Structure formats: structure tokens, C-alpha cells
């Protein structure tokens, strides 16, 4: 089982089964950033402490209670005197009052369980919405950039240093259109402002300190992926193109990053940003949608091209979104 954020509330309340409790503990050890979310959930749950019992009841309380009831049930009590002539007999209490009480107790028990699960789902939706808002900020920067570049968005190029997806962020920064409130870490995993590198600085770093250059490039877009463009078939010239405004409003241009590593692109799952439940995708038209799978329209995989490779699309309809280190 892969612990997800909705397990945090259950973990704090000790409402999960032992295996899930252990999974969450392992998740917290391996993901230090999750401690901040754990503290936020604890803050939400703190008001419940006011209703907590000071101590657990004695283990044999139920036995003694039943014994006390049985004692009174078995006692021979004197009969009550008959009512006088002027005294009315109170109506007997109907059985449905007791049934109502049982139903109410059952509903409260069910609601308590649903409350924990609902809290987790609400937190999940909050994280998805925060990520969508962040991508919308990037969308505004992309639109301003395209207005100043004949409708073209930043594109990954064939030659260094712009031959990796992360350099498109540097293009936005060099153009002065990326807002200071944009995070390159998905808000579900925290906040991190983009590094302040120019294209010239990174080109010099690549020549002088290639290892450090690789580390910097991997973190440029952080938790996100950007379009790797597409190539037309060789018989049509084999040219490489980036995306342009008005090309297709429903074409993806960015998304939560794929689950791949630099050495392996075989993982068939969703982005790790939202517990692998799906990924937020930003479209050319400026809207953001949460997809529970990696397919969109005619594309069977927005993270790999039609040859199942991380690289430029093989035609205009072949969308590929690559992490910062990905090349066309």
C-alpha cells in the first residue's frame, strides 16, 4: 500500500489498521516535507481534544453495569398503588422512541468514520486546487511571453544549453514575465521559488562545472513537466517545432511531472505529486484539468511519444511533456 495524504488524519487519530499505521510512519521518514502536512492536519484535529475523555473507563465497567441492571431486574419490588379516580393514567411510552435512539447512535457511529475519510478527501482536493492555481500563474507568464514572440511559447531546442525542458523556465525568467509567487514545487509538496539563473550563466556552468550544471537543470521546473515539442516526419523535412498560441486550445503544454527517472521511463503510473492518483495538466487555452490517467484525446500517453520514448512528439498531434532534465 502507498500511504496517501488522506491517511494522515486516520494516523493521528490511530484509526488505521496496524499495517497502514506502519506505512504512514515509513512515508513520513522517507518524505520529510510530509511532516508539514501532518502538522497542518494535527492543527485541524486539535479542537477534537476538548471532547476527549480524561481517562479510559475501567475494563470491567460493562460487566459491573450489566450486573447492576440484572440486580434491579431480579428484585421483587412492591406493586405501585392503583391511580385514584381523579388521577389520569399517563400514556405508555411508545417503542419508537427507543428505536430512534438506536438509529441516531448508529448514524453517529457511521458519521464518525465518514468524517475521517471526508477530512482526507477534502485535504486532497485542497492540494489539487492549490496546484492548479500555481499552474494558472505559469499560464499567464506563457501568454505574455507568446505575445512578445509572435505567438510562440518557450521551446526546448536541439542544442545546449536549451536542449532540456527546464531551460524553458529560464526563458520565461530572462523575458521577465514569470511572477515571483510561482512555485516550482507542486504546492501539494511544499513551496519553492525558481532559482535565479540566466541562460548565459547556465551555459558557462555547463562548460566549467558539468556535474553542478546537471544538478541545477534537474531542479529548474522541479515538480513539473513541460512540452518537448514535436518533429515532422523525415519525408516532410524532419523539422523540430515548439508549441504556438492558437494551435489547439486543448493541447497540453505543462503538467505535474511524470514518475520517470533519468535512466528509466518504464513506470506506467501517474505523477507522484498527488499520491499517483492523477496529474494536473495545463492546456494552451489556459485551463487546468486534473486527469486520473496519462491519456488525453488521441494521445495514449502525455509523458511518452508514439514510440513509447521520452522525446519530441512524432507529429503535431503527439504530445510529450518532459521533466526538467528531458531532451527532445
Amino acid at each position: 500500500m502507498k500511504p496517501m495524504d488522506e491517511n494522515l488524519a486516520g494516523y493521528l487519530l490511530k484509526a488505521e489498521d496496524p499495517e497502514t499505521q506502519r506505512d504512514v510512519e515509513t512515508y513520513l521518514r522517507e518524505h520529510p516535507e510530509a511532516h508539514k502536512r501532518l502538522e497542518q492536519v494535527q492543527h485541524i484535529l486539535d479542537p477534537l481534544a476538548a471532547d476527549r475523555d480524561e481517562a479510559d473507563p475501567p475494563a470491567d465497567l460493562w460487566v459491573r453495569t450489566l450486573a447492576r441492571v440484572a440486580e434491579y431486574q431480579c428484585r421483587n419490588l412492591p406493586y405501585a398503588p392503583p391511580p385514584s379516580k381523579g388521577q389520569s393514567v399517563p400514556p405508555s411510552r411508545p417503542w419508537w422512541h427507543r428505536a430512534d435512539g438506536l438509529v441516531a447512535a448508529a448514524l453517529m457511529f457511521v458519521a464518525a468514520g465518514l468524517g475521517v475519510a471526508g477530512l482526507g478527501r477534502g485535504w486532497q482536493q485542497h492540494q489539487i486546487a492549490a496546484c492548479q492555481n500555481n499552474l494558472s500563474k505559469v499560464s499567464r507568464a506563457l501568454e505574455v511571453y507568446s505575445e512578445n514572440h509572435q505567438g510562440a511559447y518557450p521551446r526546448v531546442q536541439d542544442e545546449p544549453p536549451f536542449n532540456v525542458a527546464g531551460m524553458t523556465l529560464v526563458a520565461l525568467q530572462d523575458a521577465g514575465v514569470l511572477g515571483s509567487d510561482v512555485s516550482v514545487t507542486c504546492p501539494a509538496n511544499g513551496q519553492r521559488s525558481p532559482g535565479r539563473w540566466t541562460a548565459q550563466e547556465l551555459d558557462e556552468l555547463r562548460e566549467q562545472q558539468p556535474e553542478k550544471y546537471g544538478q541545477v537543470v534537474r531542479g529548474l521546473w522541479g515538480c513539473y513537466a513541460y512540452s518537448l515539442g514535436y518533429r515532422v516526419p523525415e519525408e516532410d523535412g524532419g523539422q523540430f517545432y515548439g508549441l504556438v498560441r492558437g494551435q489547439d486550445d486543448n493541447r497540453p503544454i505543462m503538467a505535474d511531472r511524470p514518475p520517470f527517472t533519468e535512466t528509466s521511463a518504464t513506470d506506467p503510473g501517474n505523477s507522484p505529486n498527488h499520491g499517483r492518483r492523477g496529474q494536473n495538466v495545463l492546456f494552451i487555452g489556459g485551463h487546468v484539468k486534473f486527469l486520473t490517467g496519462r491519456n488525453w484525446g488521441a494521445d495514449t500517453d502525455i509523458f511518452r511519444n508514439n514510440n513509447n520514448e521520452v522525446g519530441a512528439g512524432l507529429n503535431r498531434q503527439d504530445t510529450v511533456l518532459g521533466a526538467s532534465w528531458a531532451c527532445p
Side-chain angles (χ1 to χ4, degrees):
M1 174 183 178
K2 294 184 179 298
M4 292 184 274
D5 288 336
E6 59 261 32
N7 295 119
L8 295 179
Y11 171 75
L12 290 170
L13 294 173
K14 302 188 185 303
E16 303 288 357
D17 58 82
E19 182 180 358
T20 302
Q21 291 283 117
R22 289 193 297 271
D23 285 343
V24 174
E25 290 170 357
T26 301
Y27 177 72
L28 292 170
R29 285 196 300 271
E30 295 177 352
H31 299 80
E33 70 278 2
H35 285 278
K36 182 177 180 180
R37 302 199 297 278
L38 186 69
E39 292 174 1
Q40 292 171 328
V41 176
Q42 180 65 69
H43 181 70
I44 294 172
L45 296 177
D46 281 344
L48 297 178
D51 297 326
R52 184 183 301 161
D53 294 331
E54 293 184 359
D56 292 332
D60 63 343
L61 178 61
W62 68 276
V63 176
R64 290 191 280 116
T65 300
L66 292 177
R68 189 66 169 169
V69 172
E71 176 186 345
Y72 277 88
Q73 284 182 331
C74 296
R75 289 176 61 183
N76 292 321
L77 299 176
Y79 289 104
S84 62
K85 293 182 179 180
Q87 183 180 4
S88 61
V89 179
S92 61
R93 184 176 181 178
W95 169 253
W96 67 267
H97 284 298
R98 186 179 301 175
D100 282 351
L102 293 173
V103 171
L107 288 174
M108 289 178 64
F109 179 79
V110 172
L114 292 177
V116 173
L119 182 63
R121 285 192 296 271
W123 182 249
Q124 172 190 337
Q125 292 302 316
H126 165 74
Q127 291 178 321
I128 291 174
C131 178
Q132 290 176 341
N133 182 55
N134 192 47
L135 282 171
S136 294
K137 296 175 184 177
V138 179
S139 176
R140 290 192 285 272
L142 290 170
E143 285 306 304
V144 175
Y145 182 96
S146 68
E147 290 171 1
N148 298 328
H149 291 80
Q150 294 77 50
Y153 296 112
R155 74 178 182 92
V156 186
Q157 299 179 10
D158 280 328
E159 299 297 327
F162 277 91
N163 64 330
V164 291
M167 291 299 291
T168 56
L169 177 137
V170 177
L172 293 175
Q173 289 180 313
D174 283 354
V177 298
L178 191 67
S180 59
D181 57 344
V182 169
S183 172
V184 294
T185 297
C186 172
N189 301 317
Q191 293 280 137
R192 180 166 69 87
S193 299
R196 293 296 173 181
W197 294 89
T198 66
Q200 182 178 349
E201 289 171 341
L202 285 174
D203 199 18
E204 293 173 356
L205 186 67
R206 180 180 62 86
E207 295 179 354
Q208 299 169 7
Q209 302 181 58
E211 186 174 342
K212 183 177 180 180
Y213 167 79
Q215 294 173 350
V216 171
V217 164
R218 282 191 288 274
L220 286 174
W221 267 128
C223 288
Y224 292 106
Y226 188 85
S227 170
L228 297 180
Y230 63 95
R231 297 183 190 277
V232 298
E234 289 295 333
E235 57 268 24
D236 295 329
Q239 291 93 343
F240 175 62
Y241 295 96
L243 303 186
V244 296
R245 185 174 54 178
Q247 188 176 40
D248 180 357
D249 281 354
N250 288 315
R251 178 162 188 158
I253 188 171
M254 280 192 70
D256 287 305
R257 72 175 180 86
F260 307 148
T261 65
E262 291 182 69
T263 58
S264 175
T266 58
D267 192 325
N270 291 314
S271 171
N273 289 0
H274 301 283
R276 291 180 173 260
R277 292 180 293 271
Q279 43 274 320
N280 278 318
V281 178
L282 170 65
F283 297 86
I284 286 180
H287 53 290
V288 184
K289 184 179 179 65
F290 186 76
L291 303 183
T292 56
R294 285 165 38 173
N295 60 300
W296 173 253
D299 264 311
T300 57
D301 193 339
I302 61 173
F303 295 141
R304 293 187 292 200
N305 63 22
N306 290 343
N307 283 342
N308 287 323
E309 298 172 342
V310 176
L314 303 184
N315 55 60
R316 185 172 176 173
Q317 286 73 42
D318 190 8
T319 295
V320 184
L321 306 177
S324 284
W325 43 262
C327 300

